[in-house]
Amino acid sequence: MRLQTSLLPLLLLFGACSDPAATESQGLSSKLVPAEDDGTWPERWIPVASYAGKAVETRREDYPSGKVRRLHCLAQASADQELVHGPDMRWHESGVPERRTLFEDGVEEGLEEVWFENGQPRRVGKYRRGERDGEWLEYFEDGVLRI
């Protein structure tokens, strides 16, 4: 139950991408999650073609075991430079989400969520132009909020 609770913001953000109207409002041109959870996520995620008006390429990195380590979007900044632009999602090798961050032009922008390997939230907060913005919540590994 705790894992499902910690994944709720992730599913709300990426799940909205399956609705064309929500997709356009978020700047995404195609959905980033499968239509239904058949137990193969994230392996069957559909790549994003654009984010916030820029063409992007979705890249996947795997662990040596073949499990997904990272899915992220890159935009061409110049002829020889790519920048992270859009969602950047990382997983622990166990398959539990590790980190979800949004980027614009290589700079953190918006919500970032980080999880312990046991699925409990570790840190939640927002970035604005690459700087921490507002209140950040930090948790102990058992899910208790740090004060």
Side-chain angles (χ1 to χ4, degrees), residues 109-128:
E109 184 68 36
L111 184 67
E112 177 179 74
E113 294 175 284
V114 181
W115 294 273
F116 288 103
E117 192 159 1
N118 67 5
Q120 292 296 321
R122 182 178 195 158
R123 179 176 62 242
V124 178
K126 290 184 181 179
Y127 280 102
R128 187 173 194 182

Side-chain angles (χ1 to χ4, degrees), residues 4 9 13-14 16 19 23 36-37 40-41 45 49 61 74 76 78 82 85-86 89 104 111 125:
Q4 292 173 347
L13 176 69
F14 290 116
D19 172 40
T23 300
E36 59 187 65
D37 182 6
T40 61
W41 94 228
W45 282 16
E61 297 173 15
L74 295 173
Q76 200 71 37
S78 63
E82 296 176 316
H85 186 76
M89 186 70 192
E104 287 189 20
L111 184 67

Side-chain angles (χ1 to χ4, degrees), residues 46-58:
I46 298 169
V48 173
S50 70
Y51 180 81
K54 288 190 176 186
V56 295
E57 180 182 335
T58 302

Side-chain angles (χ1 to χ4, degrees), residues 53-82:
K54 288 190 176 186
V56 295
E57 180 182 335
T58 302
R59 299 265 177 90
R60 174 180 166 155
E61 297 173 15
D62 291 341
Y63 286 101
S65 65
K67 292 184 178 183
V68 177
R69 181 181 183 282
R70 181 181 184 197
L71 287 174
H72 61 289
C73 298
L74 295 173
Q76 200 71 37
S78 63
D80 60 348
Q81 184 183 20
E82 296 176 316

Side-chain angles (χ1 to χ4, degrees), residues 2-3 6 92 94 96-97 115-122 140-143:
R2 287 180 160 194
L3 176 61
S6 67
H92 294 281
S94 64
V96 172
W115 294 273
F116 288 103
E117 192 159 1
N118 67 5
Q120 292 296 321
R122 182 178 195 158
F140 292 103
E141 197 164 351
D142 64 359

